[in-house]
Amino acid sequence: MSSVPAIGPRRGRPGRPRLVHPQLNGSPREQILEAAARLFTSKGYAATSTREIAEAVGIRQASLYYHFAGKGEIVTELLAQTIRPTVDSVARMESLTDDPDTVLYLVALTDVRTLAKAPHNIGWLYLAPDVAQVEGFDEFTEARSDLAATYARLAEPIATSEVLGALGPVRLGEKLVHNVEEVIGLRNAGRRIDLDESASIASSCLRLCGIDQARIDLAQKTAATLLGQLDQVDGSAGGDARCG
Amino acid sequence: MSSVPAIGPRRGRPGRPRLVHPQLNGSPREQILEAAARLFTSKGYAATSTREIAEAVGIRQASLYYHFAGKGEIVTELLAQTIRPTVDSVARMESLTDDPDTVLYLVALTDVRTLAKAPHNIGWLYLAPDVAQVEGFDEFTEARSDLAATYARLAEPIATSEVLGALGPVRLGEKLVHNVEEVIGLRNAGRRIDLDESASIASSCLRLCGIDQARIDLAQKTAATLLGQLDQVDGSAGGDARCG
């Protein structure tokens, strides 16, 4: 699996970051990402300029370029943020249990939460025609394919022969990614992605594999126990995902 | 169910349509829609001007306004085209068979084909943030909700109690619409939506209802027979849907 691009501050660029609006939270870099996500998802990518993003943060345009090469790098990083947490969680989920149904359920649940927590529903951006032309978009497409390949690897041993016969593992993996991306549309429609909704989307990933209801119920129950344990460790995994 | 907007030529507007490029097919109105679909899905909606659309067709900008009030009306009509054929087919599918599994399968299959045949993958457009702000987009959102309500009506009597208990019919209907919209992503990735792919997406709609494999197989088999009959009548329903 190739890694999801992690874009750091630009080195060797002229200028220094200016003071930012004191009422905003986070580093200048985080504030730029937050403002860009808001503008891209409200006005569209093409209609948003780096100048507007800088103004929204309260820095000069030149200062924005200290952190990012341009709009393309900002949107690429925002897109990477919709995939990276899920990819990073897979090994951990696999270490928690030997039950493959539960692993797939937990990974799907993490994926739902990643999309549910993304600022301003940035998962939406990858669906925009103008964003698809951005230099670096190929890296996101590749990262998303890697995520689909992970789903395929987890689903292949547990899917029914009928489902695998009709789809093959690769297409099944893609279908599971698409299934989780329902979160994006729900958020656009103003829906809250609560625990029940998250669970139902994760369950439907198992259902698409042809897994019967008894096994889905068992995976859901096992996953709930494991999430409870995780909550005690890091206090975040069990949190309620909300609309942005 | 409210109707999908059917936007006709503008009446009482100044100017007359000019001669269009003779190598292009269809009425001026159809040519405008075709060129707009190509430009919107390649450059994005915001980045495309009515002047560019007119130039692509070979007419003056003023002539374009004879047919459409502007970009918004063009994109709204394009979006309506991704839903109208499916909505129009539901009563016909219900008249073909008393088996509710098969009806849902046939409606999903029609929906897959509608999206697969749409010029330049125009289904993509409704996912773009800038398109969502267009005046008239609410009508599309409403038409899409009506389509989801139709899926809900067809799915409710056949879904398992576990699926209905977790989702309720409304969310189940939305989930089935989202499931069919996988076609949009597949087309963007350059995939061919052939008969096997269409069948697998329609089957997965039944699977999401919790229907078991034996019933899915039966519905698929019954639907194939009915499609054969339809082909003999209108020669179109059984056609192979291709990528645009």
Side-chain angles (χ1 to χ4, degrees), chain A residues 110-129:
Chain A
T110 306
D111 205 1
V112 168
R113 289 176 176 185
T114 300
L115 287 173
K117 288 175 182 170
H120 305 290
N121 202 11
I122 54 178
W124 201 11
L125 291 175
Y126 99 87
L127 299 161

Side-chain angles (χ1 to χ4, degrees), chain B residues 76-157:
Chain B
T76 307
E77 170 58 17
L78 285 170
L79 291 174
Q81 288 182 2
T82 66
I83 291 191
R84 206 182 287 137
T86 307
V87 171
D88 291 349
S89 79
V90 175
R92 188 175 187 191
M93 298 308 171
E94 291 187 291
S95 75
L96 282 178
T97 173
D98 289 332
D99 176 51
D101 294 357
T102 305
V103 172
L104 179 58
Y105 182 93
L106 284 170
V107 170
L109 197 68
T110 307
D111 205 0
V112 168
R113 289 176 175 186
T114 300
L115 287 173
K117 287 176 183 170
H120 305 291
N121 203 11
I122 55 178
W124 201 10
L125 291 175
Y126 98 88
L127 298 162
D130 44 359
V131 173
Q133 295 167 41
V134 169
E135 197 182 343
F137 190 77
D138 286 352
E139 289 174 49
F140 171 75
T141 307
E142 202 180 314
R144 191 169 172 278
S145 294
D146 288 341
L147 179 61
T150 299
Y151 273 103
R153 175 175 68 76
L154 299 176
E156 190 171 8

Side-chain angles (χ1 to χ4, degrees), chain A residues 41-43 124 127 129 133 162-163 167 171 174-175 178 182 186 191 197 200 204 207-208 213, chain B residues 41-43 124 127 129-130 133 162-163 167 171 174-175 178 182 186 191 197 200 204 207 213:
Chain A
T41 53
S42 60
K43 299 179 60 174
W124 201 11
L127 299 161
Q133 295 166 41
E162 289 87 353
V163 167
L167 289 170
R171 279 285 298 113
E174 291 170 346
K175 193 177 282 290
H178 175 77
E182 190 180 12
L186 289 170
R191 302 288 181 80
E197 186 64 76
S200 92
S204 62
R207 199 164 282 121
L208 283 168
Q213 190 64 43
Chain B
T41 52
S42 59
K43 298 179 60 172
W124 201 10
L127 298 162
D130 44 359
Q133 295 167 41
E162 289 88 353
V163 167
L167 288 170
R171 279 285 298 113
E174 291 170 344
K175 192 176 285 289
H178 174 77
E182 190 181 11
L186 290 171
R191 301 288 181 81
E197 186 64 76
S200 91
S204 63
R207 199 164 283 122
Q213 189 64 42

Side-chain angles (χ1 to χ4, degrees), chain A residues 4-207:
Chain A
V4 181
I7 300 162
R10 309 291 296 185
R11 305 292 178 199
R13 288 184 174 268
R16 295 171 58 83
R18 289 166 60 89
L19 278 177
V20 296
H21 282 175
Q23 73 271 26
L24 299 174
N25 293 320
S27 67
R29 185 180 157 80
E30 284 164 348
Q31 290 183 37
I32 291 166
L33 288 169
E34 205 281 335
R38 175 165 48 79
L39 289 163
F40 291 160
T41 53
S42 60
K43 299 179 60 174
Y45 176 77
T48 301
S49 66
T50 50
R51 182 177 180 151
E52 280 174 286
I53 299 167
E55 278 173 4
V57 178
I59 60 176
R60 295 199 316 170
Q61 198 174 357
S63 305
L64 182 146
Y65 283 102
Y66 175 84
H67 296 283
F68 294 98
K71 272 204 304 181
E73 196 171 292
I74 295 173
V75 82
T76 308
E77 169 58 17
L78 286 170
L79 291 174
Q81 288 182 1
T82 66
I83 291 192
R84 206 182 287 139
T86 308
V87 170
D88 291 349
S89 78
V90 176
R92 188 175 188 191
M93 298 308 172
E94 290 186 292
S95 75
L96 281 178
T97 172
D98 288 333
D99 177 50
D101 294 358
T102 305
V103 173
L104 179 58
Y105 181 93
L106 284 171
V107 170
L109 197 68
T110 306
D111 205 1
V112 168
R113 289 176 176 185
T114 300
L115 287 173
K117 288 175 182 170
H120 305 290
N121 202 11
I122 54 178
W124 201 11
L125 291 175
Y126 99 87
L127 299 161
D130 44 358
V131 173
Q133 295 166 41
V134 168
E135 197 183 344
F137 189 77
D138 286 351
E139 290 173 50
F140 171 74
T141 306
E142 202 181 314
R144 191 170 171 277
S145 294
D146 288 340
L147 179 61
T150 299
Y151 273 103
R153 176 175 68 76
L154 299 176
E156 190 172 7
I158 56 179
T160 62
S161 57
E162 289 87 353
V163 167
L164 283 174
L167 289 170
V170 172
R171 279 285 298 113
L172 178 56
E174 291 170 346
K175 193 177 282 290
L176 299 179
V177 170
H178 175 77
N179 186 58
V180 168
E181 286 170 353
E182 190 180 12
V183 172
I184 297 169
L186 289 170
R187 283 188 65 180
N188 270 349
R191 302 288 181 80
R192 192 162 171 281
I193 315 297
D194 59 16
L195 288 176
D196 285 348
E197 186 64 76
S198 305
S200 92
I201 293 175
S203 296
S204 62
C205 282
L206 299 194
R207 199 164 282 121

